[in-house]
Amino acid sequence: MLKFLPFIWRNLARNRLRTTLTTSAIALAVALVCLLLTMPAGLDAIMSSLASNTRIVVVNKGGLVYPLPYAYLNKIRARPGVVAATSWTWFGGAFDVDRGVTFPNFAIEPDSVGTVWEDWGIAPEQLEAFRKRRDGALVGRTTLQQNGWKIGDRVTLSSTIFPVSLEFQIVGEIPLERAPHFWFQREYLDQALRAKTGTGLDFLGTAWVRVDEADRVELLLSEIDAMFRNSEAETSSETELSYMKNFMGQLEGFVTIILIVTGLVALCLVFIAANTASMSVRERVAEIAVLKAVGFRRRLVFNTLLAEAVLLSMIGGGAGLLTALGLTQALKAAGAGWSPALGPLGSFIITPTIFVQALFLALFVGMLSGWIPAFGASRRSVASALREVF
Amino acid sequence: MIELRDVSRTYKRGADAIRALDHVTLDIDSGRFVALMGPSGSGKSTLLNIVAGLDRPDSGEVVVAGQKLPDMSEDELAAFRARHVGFVFQFFNLIPVLTARGNVELPLLLTHLGKAERRERALTALRIVGLEERAEHHPNELSGGEQQRVAIARAIVSDPEIVVADEPTGDLDAKNAVEILELLRALCTDFGKTVVMVTHDARAEAHVDIIHSLDKGVLADPEMAARA
Ligand SMILES: Nc1ncnc2c1ncn2[C@@H]1O[C@H](COP(=O)(O)OP(=O)(O)OP(=O)(O)O)[C@@H](O)[C@H]1O
Ligand SMILES: [Mg+2]
């Protein structure tokens, strides 16, 4: 077969414009398929970078709006494998009462914050200050920026849930763009409520738990839920990752749509390539007849024509793959370099799997598109082909 | 070399059946230059195709180079053609993307010959037709007569015993036509090939050994040509 390669190659080069156009179309479609294929994994990677797999969240089974008894927190802390646990209780504090709640603010336990969210990179001395000051607050970067606050400022929030207003001193920053939270000490709220109403805070909103090993997470999830089954408030525990995925809603559906689009692009590709293959066979009826007259067997005629289609689509596929590789590399470089906002785009990576898939796609497209025209041409009788042409 | 016994070939066209060959019996000896003549539609190409193993008769016997063609499968016929028959067509039918040498080499791709050997033989065949120095030219850089000579080189490159030519001069001017006829004549005389040529060209009579006339699929008694 190798000695026929120059001949096959020359046939491809016969109509340069058409070959170029078809190659480009195939390259573009393969590049598109590659990029689409990076998306499910890319989205997953973005999610994972936003969420930790060893942090689990426990909420009321009835839904996020229902509280859990505060006693649950210590019960959870007592489980083996739990490194630290803290709770969030929604304060619903408004800085400007007319505008309402403009950022999420929670009462939490200051001691375990640094451990549960150690991946958030809060400065140790700020954590320490937070622990020490009863009215201290840790505030997310975006919330600081939006309100023009800085560390050391004093801020008063009026709760839309509790009958209190509290004054805080900002002692630290949560250095994450995506964490707008305003955290303050649960004890501060508890004491204010006792002073005002005579009863303290006896519930929590969500409990956040840091687990020692990823392997233990699954077991702990079911243990915690089992522990509170048939009690006054049943719980639902999830890893932070799945919690976020649910929160993001129809991610799975989105991935399905991506895969369907990918399939359609691939199909489109087959039509483009098949069109080229059948045109190039049709305009060569006489030549193919001559090949057969000279003694080329049917199989050989079929093989050379099929090889031509496969070669064409492999060249296009290779070019498309390189384009997609270049593009993802550029995105990654852009994310790493001048624009941190593009950072997550670096998660769209052409993996070796996608690489191989793309090559196979090109191979299949070539086969599929070349098959019928090549088969027809190889079956055609020489005498009738020559008669038709002349 | 070529024996046809009672060969018939019918084409169906709708409800009608067209009898392109009607009980044709024909013997052609080795090393002869034979012309098939007759009006258009008389069955000349059909006969030539059957002789060359491109088509099969409905009935009758065909033995060429000792082989019974009607019994052979498609692939066996292809192998037979590669081994025993060279083809020359009216419209030259060279592959436009290959050079003259590439075209001549094409039949050799089916052999076990190495690259250097294929090249050597192709050049030898081109030398025989007087076009060695045009070896690297593409068909569109050659005149009609030259293209037909390249086609003849392609027909003889694998050294077949038989060369069939369907109106090889049909698309050429007088001067080129005569050159081609002389070349085919030389294939017989100098190289011992059996040449079967379909032609309308009256000039052919001066070059061939025997003329067979067909009319409506029926073969008339052979006529010795002037030179024989
Ligand atoms: N594939 C076919 N289908 C139907 N009829 C055919 C077919 N091939 C040949 N014929 C008919 O058979 C008859 C003989 O055809 P053939 O091509 O052998 O004639 P010819 O002598 O070569 O004519 P010409 O000089 O015009 O080339 C013609 O009537 C032709 O129409
Ligand atoms: Mg004819």
Side-chain angles (χ1 to χ4, degrees), chain A residues 3-4 7 10-11 13-14 286-287 290-300 381-383 386-387 390, chain B residues 45-46 49 54-55 74-75 78 81-82 87 89 91 93-98 106-107 109-111 118 154:
Chain A
K3 61 184 169 185
F4 294 99
F7 175 56
R10 274 174 206 287
N11 276 326
R14 150 189 321 244
E287 286 173 35
V290 169
L291 292 182
K292 284 200 273 187
V294 157
F296 279 53
R297 282 182 294 124
R298 287 174 167 190
R299 158 135 271 147
L300 185 55
S381 110
V382 186
L386 286 174
R387 169 172 298 276
F390 307 125
Chain B
S45 296
T46 305
N49 287 343
L54 285 177
D55 195 7
E74 281 296 323
D75 282 355
R81 294 195 297 267
F87 289 86
F89 304 95
F91 296 105
N93 276 325
L94 300 176
I95 311 282
V97 291
L98 297 177
L106 215 49
L109 289 178
L110 300 171
T111 65
R118 292 202 300 266
R154 179 177 64 190

Side-chain angles (χ1 to χ4, degrees), chain B residues 171-205:
Chain B
D171 211 38
L172 297 177
D173 61 25
K175 179 175 160 290
N176 277 304
V178 169
E179 274 180 28
I180 293 299
L181 289 170
E182 282 169 353
L183 191 51
L184 291 172
R185 176 75 248 168
L187 293 184
C188 280
T189 321
D190 303 343
F191 297 94
K193 310 277 179 226
T194 307
V195 180
V196 184
M197 173 177 71
V198 165
T199 188
H200 286 297
D201 193 338
R203 283 178 296 248
E205 290 176 29

